[in-house]
């Protein structure tokens, strides 16, 4: 039986603490299993990191701002250092925002970093979701993570709107008034919703405090939970990676989390923080001192929402002012229809992974990201949606387009009304043709190699261009995508001669499936026979 003597050398204190914690929490075992997890190295994955780091910056700067902001609509007289507003009546919310901007050390910079980080967070979310969409990274098993990302974007829009409204300046107050008018147009419940939100007739005396609670507690808390859930699922499912030698659906090729990935991620965080700080320092955003406090009888000239609300604003601005009377009630279709279209578009984006899975009938797991050109119908849908969004952004700022470019506001409005329907169709057709053209170019590169620009004259006088052969890795990349067979309806009569009835839903699914995988939606990959024939000299090379 061994005994411990006092002459034995004791382990360092830090090591003893680590052993004690590991024995009770299993930290070392957990870290050993997960800290060497592999992450693919591709620039497009940095888009998600920009979102995460912007979110962290928003939280850090927001905590600082809450120490000085007073979410109250009680009226006070301004006596701060900004002379043009001295003596004016304003809410405590506006007054404290002025104090942050002019009297708190670093307050204006922190406030602008907070606002710019919010804009970049939502812009990063938008581009990150488009990357996931165009590469098919939302397919099984990542549909739930797509929903988490969508909810983050959706909640981020309203978190941004509530934060934008807190200073109670004339610009944000105009936006809140706009929203309240839209709420009032909702049949039956609109009035009740408005009363509940504003605590009485607009503007009431409570909406800043209510928006403040939602902005700093409710919405960020939900978003933080979604961010954690999103990252956990990324950790569980691993990143998708693009096709290449040695990359399959069953492995991940990249760098370990520790130390390489964490070192790069840490550096990238400070890079993002630095860029946002520089932008905030040199580009003024929401200068409330130049706009003034909100008054219900005034409207700010050139009032514009932040870009992520431009789609909704554009829908309402360009919609004709239609109204109908039913059973003694007036229905404001000019607002109701845009209010129906906006959530319908968002819902379609949210459930798209499930729609595509049903159309294609593909229930397999996918860990290889697709090149957008190899899914032309999906890519065309994505570009069509972005086109509609951008056209509505023009509608949301039709007054500024008119004044800056000396155009008729009516002409801009009619342009938006027409091209909201025509533009996405044109974008869909053009994008699909471009994707198919790129597929044909890839096929030609595989068969003939890369154009070298060197012209050679053959003995019989013909001029040909010399092509450089592709490496095996490049050949694999251009031919790794799958070729799909379009779905077909089952025979109308089964093996026993009994008539088989096919439902309308299945007929629709098969028809939509052909729009994804039909002969006019994918270019056949070169066969080995074609490749060998070219390589053996039966064609110019």
């Amino acid at each position: 039986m061994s005994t411990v003597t006092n002459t034995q050398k004791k382990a360092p204190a830090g090591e003893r603490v680590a052993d004690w914690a590991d024995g009770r929490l299993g930290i070392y075992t957990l870290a050993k299993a997960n800290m060497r997890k592999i992450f693919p190295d591709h620039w497009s994955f940095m888009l998600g990191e920009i979102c995460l780091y912007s979110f962290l910056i928003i939280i850090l700067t927001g905590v600082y701002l809450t120490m000085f902001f007073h979410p109250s609509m009680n009226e006070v007289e301004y006596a701060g250092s900004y002379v043009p507003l001295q003596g004016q009546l304003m809410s405590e919310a506006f007054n404290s925002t002025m104090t942050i901007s002019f009297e708190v050390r670093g307050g204006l910079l922190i406030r602008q970093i907070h606002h710019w980080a919010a804009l970049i967070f939502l812009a990063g979310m938008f581009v990150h979701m488009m990357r996931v969409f165009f590469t098919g990274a939302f397919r099984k098993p990542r549909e739930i993570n797509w929903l988490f990302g969508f909810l983050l974007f959706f909640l981020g829009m309203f978190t941004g709107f509530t934060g934008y409204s807190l200073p109670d300046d004339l610009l944000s107050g105009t936006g809140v008034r706009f929203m309240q008018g839209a709420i009032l147009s909702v049949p039956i419940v609109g009035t009740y919703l408005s009363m509940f939100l504003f605590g009485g007739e607009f503007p009431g005396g409570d909406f800043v405090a209510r928006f403040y609670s939602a902005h700093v507690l409710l919405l960020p808390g939900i978003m933080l939970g979604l961010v954690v859930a999103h990252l956990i699922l990324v950790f569980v499912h691993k990143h998708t990676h693009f096709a290449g030698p040695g990359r399959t659906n069953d492995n991940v090729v990249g760098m370990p989390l520790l130390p390489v990935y964490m070192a790069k991620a840490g550096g990238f965080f400070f890079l993002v923080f630095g860029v946002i700080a520089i932008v905030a320092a040199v580009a003024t955003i929401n200068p409330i001192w130049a706009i003034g406090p909100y008054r219900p009888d005034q409207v700010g000239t050139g009032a514009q929402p932040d870009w992520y609300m431009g789609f909704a604003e554009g829908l309402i601005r360009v919609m004709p002012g239609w109204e109908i009377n039913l059973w003694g009630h007036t229905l404001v279709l000019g607002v109701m229809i845009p209010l129906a279209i906006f959530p319908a578009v968002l819902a379609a984006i949210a459930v798209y992974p499930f729609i595509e899975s049903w159309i294609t009938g593909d229930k397999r797991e996918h860990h290889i990201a697709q090149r957008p050109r190899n899914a032309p119908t999906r890519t065309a849908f994505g570009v069509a949606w972005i086109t509609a969004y951008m056209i509505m952004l023009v509608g949301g700022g039709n007054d500024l387009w008119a004044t800056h470019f000396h155009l008729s506001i009516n002409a801009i409005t009619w342009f938006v009304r027409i091209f909201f329907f025509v533009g996405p169709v044109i974008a869909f057709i053009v994008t699909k043709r471009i994707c198919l053209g790129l597929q044909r170019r890839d096929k030609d590169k595989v068969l003939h190699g890369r154009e070298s620009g060197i012209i050679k004259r053959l003995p019989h006088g013909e001029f040909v261009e010399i092509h450089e052969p592709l490496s095996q890795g490049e050949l694999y990349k251009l031919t790794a995508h799958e070729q799909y067979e379009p779905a077909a309806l089952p025979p109308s009569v089964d093996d026993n001669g009994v008539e088989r009835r096919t439902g309308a839903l299945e007929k629709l699914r098969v028809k939509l499936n052909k729009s994804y995988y039909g002969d006019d939606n994918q270019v056949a990959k070169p066969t080995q026979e074609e490749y060998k024939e070219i390589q053996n000299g039966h064609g110019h090379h």
Side-chain angles (χ1 to χ4, degrees), residues 213-232:
S213 298
H215 182 72
V216 304
L217 293 175
L218 178 63
L219 295 175
I222 298 173
M223 291 177 67
L224 190 59
L226 287 171
V227 167
V228 172
H230 187 77
L231 293 177
I232 288 173

Side-chain angles (χ1 to χ4, degrees), residues 50-297:
I50 291 174
C51 303
L52 176 61
Y53 303 153
S54 300
F55 184 68
L56 294 176
I57 294 167
I58 291 169
I59 292 175
L60 292 173
T61 53
V63 169
Y64 182 82
L65 293 174
T66 57
M67 297 178 183
F68 306 100
F69 182 74
H70 300 288
S72 170
M73 295 184 70
N74 293 333
E75 200 169 58
V76 297
E77 182 179 324
Y78 181 70
S81 58
Y82 187 69
V83 176
L85 288 181
Q86 287 179 356
Q88 287 201 29
L89 296 178
M90 57 186 63
S91 66
E92 284 192 45
F94 188 91
N95 184 62
S96 62
T97 308
M98 290 292 294
T99 300
I100 291 171
S101 301
F102 287 96
E103 296 168 36
V104 173
R105 187 179 296 275
L108 181 58
L109 178 62
I110 296 297
R111 181 172 157 256
Q112 297 215 144
I113 289 176
H114 187 74
H115 201 147
W116 275 113
L119 295 181
I120 292 172
F121 169 70
L122 284 160
M125 286 285 293
F126 182 90
V127 179
H128 177 58
M129 289 182 70
M130 289 299 99
R131 197 278 301 174
V132 172
F133 179 86
F134 286 125
T135 62
F138 56 78
R139 294 175 295 171
K140 184 181 177 182
R142 296 176 178 83
E143 304 99 326
I144 302 300
N145 224 10
W146 169 267
L147 284 177
F148 286 165
F150 168 80
L151 288 173
L152 277 168
F153 183 74
F154 179 75
L155 292 174
M157 291 170 59
F158 287 96
T159 306
F161 178 78
T162 53
Y164 166 86
S165 306
L166 290 181
D168 197 31
D169 60 288
L170 187 58
L171 180 63
S172 66
T174 302
V176 175
R177 186 70 180 90
F178 179 90
M179 183 196 72
Q180 192 257 354
I183 292 173
L184 286 176
S185 72
V186 178
I188 302 175
V189 299
T191 305
Y192 297 99
L193 287 174
S194 176
M195 290 289 185
F196 173 77
L197 192 62
F198 294 98
E201 292 289 344
F202 180 85
D206 298 327
F207 90 82
V208 168
R210 296 182 180 199
F211 279 25
Y212 180 77
S213 298
H215 182 72
V216 304
L217 293 175
L218 178 63
L219 295 175
I222 298 173
M223 291 177 67
L224 190 59
L226 287 171
V227 167
V228 172
H230 187 77
L231 293 177
I232 288 173
L233 286 182
V234 168
F235 215 79
V236 170
H237 296 145
K238 299 178 283 294
H239 270 296
T240 55
H241 52 185
F242 289 93
R247 300 180 181 183
T248 69
N249 265 318
D250 301 319
N251 70 356
V252 180
V253 178
M255 63 184 72
L257 179 62
L258 278 177
V260 182
Y261 186 82
M262 287 298 291
K264 293 180 69 174
F268 191 48
F269 168 77
F270 289 107
L271 182 63
V272 171
F273 204 150
V275 169
I276 293 176
I278 291 172
V279 172
V282 302
T284 301
I285 189 168
N286 197 19
I288 62 166
W289 54 89
I291 301 168
Y294 178 66
R295 285 180 50 178
D297 60 335

Side-chain angles (χ1 to χ4, degrees), residues 131-139 352 356 360 362 368-383 428 431-439 442 481-484 515-518 520-523:
R131 197 278 301 174
V132 172
F133 179 86
F134 286 125
T135 62
F138 56 78
R139 294 175 295 171
Y352 180 83
E356 182 174 308
T360 61
D362 190 351
I368 298 291
Q370 290 180 304
R371 301 174 79 202
R373 67 188 65 180
N374 293 326
T377 301
R378 181 206 300 144
T379 302
F381 270 127
V383 174
F428 182 91
T431 302
K432 195 169 181 181
R433 301 311 304 171
I434 291 174
C435 288
L436 292 172
L438 291 173
Q439 286 188 41
D442 287 346
H481 60 281
E482 296 179 276
Q483 296 273 218
Y484 294 93
S515 72
Y516 275 77
Y517 300 142
D520 59 340
N521 288 278
Q522 54 183 345
V523 175

